[in-house]
Amino acid sequence: MNSTIPMDQFYDTFIKNFISVVLGLVINYINGTFVLVFFKNTIFYSDPRYILYTHLVINDIIMLSISVGLQVTIYVVGTFSLSVCCVVLFVAVIVTKNSPLNLACMAIERYIAICKPLHHPQICTVHRTYMLIWFMWTLSAVPAFSDIFITLSTRPASFFSTAILCHRVFIYNTWQYAVNDTVLNVVYLLFVWTTLIVTYFKVLSAANAASTDRVSARKARNTILLHGGQLLLCMMSYITPLISTALIDLFPWSRSTILFILFLLSNILPRLLSPLIYGLRDKQFAERVKVYFCCKQIKTQIIPVN
């Protein structure tokens, strides 16, 4: 009877990791296809909307790869070098903060395109779009650098030579970090939500104006609404600890299953939303994705003649 318990745990762990890896590969393949379509079609190079969208998808690929990779590594290897863990978490924090900022920038671009169409080509240039992306990465790096600075100032030197489970709760668990993390999250999310709400109502008022293309305005308004829905899913990572604590208190015998389901809902499945929300809703992108898959299918069916 005792020998079956570790075996049951092994199968449970294997199935959960298998599901995570398969979902991660499938979603990254879908996202990667959209990135490939972007780089293979020069028509997208000159449109800031597609540049920001592709940046969001690339960010999702990095975030998903880190999430699944860390989960599998923790189960397989267990503890490993703290310095390596800090580097991985540093990148993870940056890409996590990037997504909400990218959503806000995409909403602003849609607002300018609908409400100030004559000024859109001058304001939203390709050069400024890439500069904006660099600014997003710089701004997102602020919380990551602050985490490292707080850790260096509050931990003894021996702490950095230890092996540890690579999770934020085992490294960034001081009160200084809690205060810093709360303040930065509130500032970031307040900025993003304010941007989405203001741009939504601006586009909504433009949709009611007789001089505005109502079809484009309606699409932009719906896109900004979808930005809000995606942002809610991005915020899942902030409330997941509270949800997991409450559910584990109610169902302590299902702790592993609860944590795994919340991991899927907060870290894996939201990464699939970017291609579904933007890529398939956009005619130009959708048509080229269909052409890509059709051409690939035809190539696989061609039998070489000897």
Side-chain angles (χ1 to χ4, degrees):
M1 185 70 180
N2 292 333
S3 62
T4 62
I5 296 176
M7 188 59 66
D8 290 340
Q9 292 176 348
F10 170 78
Y11 282 126
D12 182 66
T13 301
F14 174 78
I15 290 172
K16 290 173 180 175
N17 280 281
F18 179 77
I19 293 173
S20 298
V21 171
V22 169
L23 285 176
L25 290 175
V26 170
I27 294 173
N28 271 350
Y29 175 76
I30 295 172
N31 286 338
T33 300
F34 281 88
V35 174
L36 186 64
V37 167
F38 171 83
F39 284 110
K40 281 194 170 185
N41 293 271
T42 55
I43 189 175
F44 298 131
Y45 293 179
S46 59
D47 195 325
R49 179 162 61 106
Y50 294 115
I51 296 173
L52 288 173
Y53 163 72
T54 304
H55 173 254
L56 180 65
V57 175
I58 293 173
N59 195 77
D60 284 346
I61 292 174
I62 298 172
M63 192 185 307
L64 181 58
S65 301
I66 292 176
S67 298
V68 175
L70 272 181
Q71 184 201 28
V72 175
T73 303
I74 288 173
Y75 275 112
V76 175
V77 179
T79 61
F80 56 93
S81 172
L82 180 66
S83 58
V84 175
C85 179
C86 285
V87 173
V88 174
L89 292 181
F90 178 83
V91 178
V93 170
I94 293 178
V95 294
T96 300
K97 292 292 189 294
N98 259 345
S99 289
L101 292 177
N102 204 109
L103 292 173
C105 292
M106 292 175 73
I108 294 173
E109 189 276 332
R110 286 294 81 199
Y111 157 74
I112 297 173
I114 299 301
C115 299
K116 300 181 182 296
L118 298 179
H119 300 287
H120 182 266
Q122 289 78 30
I123 297 175
C124 300
T125 63
V126 173
H127 176 71
R128 287 182 177 178
T129 303
Y130 283 113
M131 291 295 293
L132 182 63
I133 290 174
W134 280 111
F135 179 71
M136 273 191 279
W137 278 84
T138 303
L139 200 60
S140 298
V142 172
F145 277 114
S146 65
D147 291 343
I148 293 178
F149 176 76
I150 291 173
T151 304
L152 289 172
S153 60
T154 58
R155 298 289 190 178
S158 58
F159 177 73
F160 298 95
S161 61
T162 59
I164 195 170
L165 281 174
C166 192
H167 197 283
R168 292 168 64 88
V169 297
F170 298 112
I171 302 175
Y172 308 132
N173 53 9
T174 62
W175 69 267
Q176 294 96 331
Y177 165 76
V179 172
N180 177 74
D181 189 54
T182 302
V183 171
L184 288 176
N185 284 336
V186 169
V187 172
Y188 272 71
L189 293 177
L190 186 62
F191 165 75
V192 175
W193 275 115
T194 302
T195 302
L196 293 181
I197 293 171
V198 170
T199 52
Y200 174 79
F201 282 105
K202 290 285 187 180
V203 172
L204 182 63
S205 62
N208 297 326
S211 60
T212 305
D213 183 355
R214 296 197 175 190
V215 175
S216 299
R218 187 182 71 252
K219 288 182 178 179
R221 184 188 63 202
N222 293 337
T223 300
I224 294 173
L225 274 178
L226 291 171
H227 286 329
Q230 192 170 11
L231 182 59
L232 285 174
L233 289 174
C234 289
M235 290 177 63
M236 276 285 293
S237 59
Y238 300 110
I239 62 175
T240 295
L242 299 177
I243 296 175
S244 62
T245 301
L247 291 177
I248 290 171
D249 287 342
L250 292 174
F251 310 102
W253 57 88
S254 303
R255 180 180 182 275
S256 178
T257 303
I258 290 171
L259 293 176
F260 176 68
I261 292 174
L262 290 175
F263 173 76
L264 292 181
L265 293 176
S266 62
N267 291 280
I268 294 184
L269 295 181
R271 310 285 80 82
L272 184 59
L273 288 180
S274 295
L276 296 181
I277 289 177
Y278 313 110
L280 296 182
R281 289 178 68 245
D282 185 89
K283 289 184 179 180
Q284 293 194 67
F285 237 116
E287 288 174 357
R288 283 163 176 78
V289 169
K290 289 178 183 177
V291 170
Y292 171 80
F293 278 113
C294 289
C295 292
K296 192 171 183 179
Q297 187 176 7
I298 291 173
K299 286 181 181 180
T300 57
Q301 291 176 352
I302 294 176
I303 301 175
V305 180
N306 295 328

